[in-house]
């Protein structure tokens, strides 16, 4: 295990903000991950697990403890009960795995193409986009239990998946270090073309292939600067900064009433039993933060209303201050407190 000191974290994130890690360890094996945990304990320091760096904001002070970057690699395949199971190392780049699945003509993750980050981060927030989420295909998660140092295999039910949540970022936050994830995909399955953007893209066509769907998703994401493209300022972000609020019937009625008073109609779709999921992007845009809005070093993406972007030399403090400004305005106008999607590290 190689322990480095005072390693800058900003270059390891898509936002490109934040200070250094006091100690930094990259673990390519289960044993090295366990060693890193013991190292942190021996120095009585907090441990933070870093994946692909695509969904976090690191404070300007950095991380005063140990940052562990899980770099477990490899993709193994096996057939089971009519499914093709892919056991993927947590350090594998997510989009490379999706490309592999589509090449093998396996359905289940094609709409998650182009999402930055690593495989190990996908179960944490139950990553989803364009009508799919990883909870639908995750068979199991192999993780190091920091409570007793044991390697555990957690089934889908044990992961407690819900909209953008799991036990890994709620009830058991900080307990498990994800090492491998097994996905059960459908060989020869049809692509999921349910999302409005995809329906528009394929309008007039009877069917699309998995490869065509993957290409369409990547093109749509690129059009919103949600595909990492070198030199594109709007890509210096953490992707969608706020979760789509899931409201009760009463909350939704209140929101609809506020909108009606402004001669507006809330776009929504059914979610989670009797609840309603509403568009955070709509709330942001209808609170005075249009695409391209900004001042100085931070702003809103010119192509995606939910992405806060680093326009150059921004600090983490700039990002957080802008985030809070948006939250306060949306709450004042619409009575809804938007919840950030990225992890805030070192604050």
């Amino acid at each position: 295990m190689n322990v480095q000191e005072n390693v800058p974290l900003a270059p390891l994130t898509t936002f490109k903000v934040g200070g250094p890690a006091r100690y930094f360890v990259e673990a390519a094996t289960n044993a090295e991950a366990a060693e890193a945990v013991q190292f942190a304990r021996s120095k009585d320091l907090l441990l933070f697990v870093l994946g692909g760096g695509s969904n976090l904001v690191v404070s300007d002070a950095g991380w005063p403890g140990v940052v562990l970057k899980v770099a477990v690699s490899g993709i193994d395949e096996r057939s089971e009960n009519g499914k093709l199971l892919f056991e993927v190392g947590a350090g594998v780049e997510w989009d490379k795995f999706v490309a592999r699945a589509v090449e093998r003509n396996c359905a289940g993750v094609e709409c998650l193409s182009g999402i930055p980050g690593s495989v190990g981060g996908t179960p944490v927030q139950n990553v989803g986009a364009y009508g799919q989420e990883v909870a639908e295909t995750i068979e199991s998660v192999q993780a190091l239990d920091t409570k007793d140092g044991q390697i555990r295999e957690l089934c889908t039910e044990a992961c407690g998946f819900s909209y953008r949540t799991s036990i890994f970022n709620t009830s058991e936050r900080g307990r498990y270090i994800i090492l491998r994830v097994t996905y059960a995909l459908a060989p020869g399955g049809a692509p999921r073309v349910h999302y409005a953007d995809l329906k528009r893209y394929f309008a007039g066509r009877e069917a699309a292939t998995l490869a065509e769907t993957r290409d369409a998703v990547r093109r749509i994401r690129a059009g919103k600067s949600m595909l990492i493209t070198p030199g594109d300022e709007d890509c210096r972000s953490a992707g969608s900064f706020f979760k789509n609020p899931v409201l009760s019937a009463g909350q939704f009625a209140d929101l609809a009433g506020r909108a009606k008073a402004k001669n507006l109609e809330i776009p929504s779709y059914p979610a989670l039993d009797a609840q309603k999921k509403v568009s955070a992007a709509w709330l942001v845009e209808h609170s005075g933060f249009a695409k391209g809005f900004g001042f100085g070093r931070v702003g809103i993406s010119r192509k995606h209303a939910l992405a806060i972007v680093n326009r150059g030399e921004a600090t983490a403090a700039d990002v957080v201050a802008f985030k809070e400004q948006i939250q306060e305005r949306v709450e004042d106008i619409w009575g809804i407190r938007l919840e950030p999607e990225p992890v805030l590290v070192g604050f």
Side-chain angles (χ1 to χ4, degrees):
M1 181 184 71
N2 179 31
V3 180
Q4 301 177 64
E5 296 187 47
N6 299 316
V7 173
L9 294 175
L12 302 179
T13 74
T14 54
F15 229 134
K16 307 302 180 189
V17 300
R22 176 69 184 87
Y23 294 102
F24 182 89
V25 177
E26 187 168 308
T29 66
N30 294 2
E32 287 180 342
E35 280 186 74
V37 172
Q38 290 305 316
F39 173 77
R41 282 190 177 150
S42 70
K43 292 190 170 292
D44 196 25
L45 293 171
L46 292 173
L47 179 74
F48 176 74
V49 179
L50 175 68
S54 61
N55 197 48
L56 75 164
V57 182
V58 179
S59 77
D60 296 316
W63 183 252
V66 179
V67 169
L68 167 61
K69 182 171 176 60
V70 179
V72 177
S73 61
I75 303 177
D76 296 320
E77 301 176 18
R78 68 179 188 276
S79 295
E80 191 174 293
N81 299 322
K83 298 280 189 176
L84 193 59
L85 270 57
F86 293 79
E87 185 180 299
V88 192
V92 172
E93 185 181 326
W94 170 253
D95 198 48
K96 286 185 177 178
F97 161 59
V98 177
R100 167 82 165 264
V102 170
E103 285 168 6
R104 299 284 282 121
N105 197 34
C106 288
V109 292
E110 65 280 352
C111 294
L112 305 179
S113 295
I115 294 176
S118 58
V119 163
T122 61
V124 178
Q125 288 200 305
N126 185 17
V127 165
Y130 298 101
Q132 282 182 334
E133 57 185 21
V134 292
E136 299 171 53
T137 55
I138 288 179
E139 182 83 0
S140 63
V141 173
Q142 184 189 85
L144 171 65
D145 189 339
T146 60
K147 279 190 174 181
D148 57 14
Q150 297 298 306
I151 303 292
R152 305 198 184 283
E153 201 81 19
L154 304 173
C155 66
T156 302
E157 291 75 17
C159 294
F161 292 122
S162 187
Y163 174 62
R164 297 297 177 270
T165 64
S166 67
I167 63 168
F168 307 114
N169 65 0
T170 56
S171 61
E172 300 293 349
R173 181 190 292 271
R175 175 176 175 179
Y176 294 105
I177 296 172
I178 296 171
L179 303 169
R180 289 179 174 81
V181 184
T182 299
Y183 303 88
L185 305 183
R192 181 80 60 84
V193 186
H194 296 169
Y195 202 79
D197 284 355
L198 284 172
K199 284 183 175 180
R200 282 193 293 270
Y201 189 93
F202 290 115
R205 290 191 45 176
E206 290 186 5
T209 66
L210 290 172
E212 287 170 338
T213 303
R214 169 173 163 74
D215 181 63
V217 169
R218 287 178 57 86
R219 287 174 182 271
I220 293 167
R221 291 184 67 86
K224 298 178 180 180
S225 288
M226 301 300 273
L227 190 72
I228 301 298
T229 305
D232 184 351
E233 173 191 295
D234 284 326
C235 288
R236 288 198 297 267
S237 76
S240 295
F241 206 96
F242 299 104
K243 299 177 184 179
N244 290 325
V246 179
L247 309 179
S248 67
Q251 289 173 315
F252 183 78
D254 175 70
L255 177 63
R258 291 174 185 245
K260 186 176 181 180
K262 298 175 181 290
N263 294 316
L264 296 171
E265 185 175 344
I266 301 289
S268 69
Y269 49 96
L272 305 178
D273 301 320
Q275 296 178 314
K276 290 275 191 178
K277 187 188 294 181
V278 299
S279 169
W282 189 93
L283 292 170
V284 169
E285 287 195 278
H286 286 81
S287 299
F289 301 98
K291 294 172 187 172
F293 176 92
F295 45 85
R297 302 180 292 191
V298 293
I300 299 287
S301 166
R302 288 179 285 261
K303 301 173 183 175
H304 192 307
L306 271 192
I308 294 177
V309 297
N310 172 5
R311 297 212 182 283
E313 305 303 321
T315 65
D318 293 332
V319 172
V320 170
F322 189 46
K323 176 221 31 138
E324 290 174 350
Q325 182 183 348
I326 294 171
Q327 286 175 304
E328 289 169 8
R329 183 86 62 81
V330 169
E331 188 169 20
D332 181 55
I333 296 173
W334 301 108
I336 294 173
R337 182 73 175 178
L338 291 179
E339 185 180 346
E341 196 164 308
V343 178
L344 301 179
V345 180
F347 289 90

